Amino acid sequence: MTITRTAPVRTAAPVTGTGKRRVSRGRLGLHAFLMTVSLAFLAPLLLAIYASLRPYEETAKYGYFSLPRHLSFDYYAQAFNDSGMGKYFINSLIIAVPGVLLTLFLASFVAFCVTRLRMRGGLVLLMVFTAGNLLPQQVIVTPLYVLFTKINLPYWMSDSMTMYDSYWAVLAVQVAFQVGFCVFVLANFMRTLPEEITEAARVDGAGVWTQYWNITLPLCRPALAALATLQFTWMYNDFLWALVFISDGDKLPITSALNNLRGQFFTDYNLLAAGSVIVALPTVLVFLLLQRHFIAGLTLGASKG
Amino acid sequence: MPLINARRAKRRGPRRFTSRDLAVIGVLLGIPILLDLALVWGPTLASIGLSFTNWDGIGDIQWVGIDNYKTLFTDYPPFWPAVRNNLLWVAFLGCVATPFGLLLAILLDKGVRFSRFYQSTIYMPVVLSLAIVGFIAQLIFSRDQGALNAILANKDNPVDWLGDPELNIWMVLLAAAWRHTGYVMILYLAGLKSVDPSLKEAAAIDGASETQTFFRVVLPTLRPVNVIVGVITVIEALRAFDIVYAINHGRNGLELLSVLVTDNIIGEASRIGFGSAIAVVLLAVSMGFIVTYLVQELRGGKKG
């Protein structure tokens, strides 16, 4: 293991210069190294999937790292039914989907104002947003909790009649917190767009909205796609905000549903493994489907800077 | 005189907003600013204020000066271990996971075959929630049935990887690095793709070795990415929470500042004043890094 780890690094240096044989050998070592790392990174996930397919009695007796005797999808059905995952999944989507859209919309406009309109104080604005996103979440939790219990909402918006214990609370915090990150990335991206495009539009009499919505935003599509995947993952995976701002168990997002699978005195880890796989599936799928956009977005953002 | 006129003219240029423009800007810039001030910066200031009180969340708010901080530094046993663990977290992610991610990015940037596969598998852990990562860590490291003890075949004398307060922090760091490496790799990969290939060619023609080219030519052009990665590393290390909370609620060797804050604020004790004081310590350290970073950004922005 250690040999394959260090070898390609050392051989990597002379690869380009020297003869063909060295090249193929270096490449082979490189593949061996990358394959080892990939498998090492994948192994824990495979173990979790493997554990989820085996009955508890078996792993309790022989350990998780043993040959299978029975394999079944029973735990998936049980995890899905016992913890009411369908409902919690909807809860997560209720927060994450509008959250991502709102965050991207607001952040892109702020970034547009800062980079394209050359507003005075733009840099300060950028710093306020960026720094805000870097604050530890625990710092703002308590005052927000107090604030949300004091804000009353009509019944049609929240059955608790307050902002506390409603989706609105989590949604608002997610948007406020994540706008900072998106402003930062989008401002960097927009700086790389040629100035002439908006200037020409301005000469033609285009207003701020047209310059933003019809001209700048379409050019930001790759960055927006990258941010959308990242933001969806983060909002979907969050559990601190929901833990603090929601008390009604039925409104919790899916990450906290995992806790329902934890017994008070005895925890069936294989059941929990099945639950984890179900919870992880959407983000893994989103990443695999959108990874082309995702990496293209990050690359394009950096390329012209 | 002409200089001043020119500047004035320039300033007047983009300021020709119609009233409709102003309305659009007012609303669409106003909402995010209000949200940010009300839900992020306002609460931050409130936390600082609360840290000087002994509020329990229900009764009256009483001013106690710096009492909370005194107790924290001298008479609160989990505090210093938590600080130590947070620093260890910064050091481990910064000195092990981040360079490893950079190395992987460099190797993948060479355009090897199957790089999409390697890239996807190494990035995969990043999309998992830390709660799930914490759970998977239990599958691997648990004492009696964990995979690691099975691989090491020490069935008679199993190591309690997560229960031993001397050992468990390292196992958790490994799990955290598992996620961090992929994230760093993707960021660097994006940065490396943007390095002008002609720069590397020129260096090669001048007789620079690949290592030299990397350190003298490529790394300096990656400066913006380096800064982002550095800040993400430190901030993530200071903010770390979910993973230890999922494993054992951050006790028995896994203390972290974020956990202590949560325990004091959300727990049954509800010592909000005291919890806020810990939060402020966390804030102060984070702010140190945030400000350094922003100053850097500012300078870079002016130069660019």
Side-chain angles (χ1 to χ4, degrees), chain A:
Chain A
M1 183 97 156
T2 38
I3 297 164
T4 44
R5 275 204 169 173
T6 46
V9 188
R10 237 180 269 143
T11 50
V15 158
T16 41
T18 44
K20 256 189 178 166
R21 265 200 61 193
R22 291 292 298 270
V23 174
S24 56
R25 244 177 141 200
R27 281 279 139 122
L28 217 62
L30 191 63
H31 277 291
F33 174 68
L34 289 171
M35 200 39 111
T36 315
V37 174
S38 291
L39 287 180
F41 270 66
L42 216 50
L45 291 175
L46 297 178
L47 182 76
I49 294 172
Y50 183 46
S52 69
L53 298 174
R54 305 174 67 194
Y56 178 78
E57 296 75 32
E58 192 181 310
T59 44
K61 204 167 168 193
Y62 305 105
Y64 292 104
F65 195 70
S66 59
L67 287 173
R69 284 155 187 84
H70 306 278
L71 291 174
S72 74
F73 284 103
D74 292 353
Y75 274 122
Y76 285 90
Q78 200 185 329
F80 198 86
N81 296 328
D82 280 12
S83 66
M85 271 191 177
K87 184 177 61 189
Y88 294 114
F89 181 65
I90 302 281
N91 290 347
S92 282
L93 290 185
I94 287 177
I95 294 166
V97 172
V100 171
L101 294 176
L102 256 177
T103 307
L104 289 180
F105 174 62
L106 294 176
S108 59
F109 193 80
V110 175
F112 169 78
C113 288
V114 169
T115 59
R116 304 259 108 187
L117 296 185
R118 300 247 189 94
M119 291 202 342
R120 254 192 292 171
L123 206 57
V124 176
L125 210 57
L126 194 60
M127 288 173 77
V128 166
F129 276 106
T130 312
N133 180 253
L134 297 173
L135 295 171
Q137 293 158 327
Q138 277 82 8
V139 174
I140 61 175
V141 153
T142 320
L144 280 179
Y145 175 89
V146 177
L147 181 71
F148 287 158
T149 52
K150 297 247 155 79
I151 295 179
N152 292 315
L153 290 180
Y155 185 76
W156 62 269
M157 281 177 82
S158 154
D159 56 16
S160 64
M161 306 291 276
T162 57
M163 191 136 168
Y164 172 73
D165 196 25
S166 75
Y167 298 123
W168 299 100
V170 184
L171 184 66
V173 174
Q174 292 278 19
V175 172
F177 205 67
Q178 294 300 342
V179 153
F181 180 80
C182 294
V183 166
F184 172 73
V185 173
L186 286 169
N188 279 344
F189 187 86
M190 286 184 192
R191 278 213 190 92
T192 67
L193 300 175
E195 195 81 19
E196 293 80 21
I197 297 175
T198 33
E199 244 155 47
R202 205 172 298 153
V203 172
D204 288 347
V208 166
W209 177 256
T210 313
Q211 288 173 43
Y212 160 72
W213 187 255
N214 294 338
I215 296 164
T216 311
L217 216 49
L219 294 171
C220 293
R221 214 175 284 154
L224 290 171
L227 279 176
T229 42
L230 258 186
Q231 289 297 331
F232 177 77
T233 317
W234 287 345
M235 291 188 188
Y236 177 90
N237 281 340
D238 163 73
F239 87 9
L240 180 70
W241 298 131
L243 197 74
V244 181
F245 297 136
I246 288 184
S247 65
D248 181 353
D250 280 353
K251 293 179 195 151
L252 286 173
I254 196 160
T255 32
S256 21
L258 275 184
N259 271 335
N260 294 357
L261 294 175
R262 253 177 221 279
Q264 199 160 12
F265 305 106
F266 153 80
T267 297
D268 186 338
Y269 280 105
N270 302 37
L271 178 66
L272 207 49
S276 298
V277 173
I278 297 176
V279 171
L281 219 51
T283 50
V284 171
L285 279 179
V286 164
F287 167 66
L288 288 179
L289 289 176
L290 294 177
Q291 67 166 328
R292 194 194 298 268
H293 297 279
F294 178 71
I295 291 164
L298 285 171
T299 317
L300 274 170
S303 68
K304 294 162 209 154

Side-chain angles (χ1 to χ4, degrees), chain B residues 7 9 40 88 123 175 184 197-198 202 232 238:
Chain B
R7 194 186 285 165
V40 178
L88 213 57
Y123 186 78
V184 169
S198 62
I232 286 175
L238 293 175

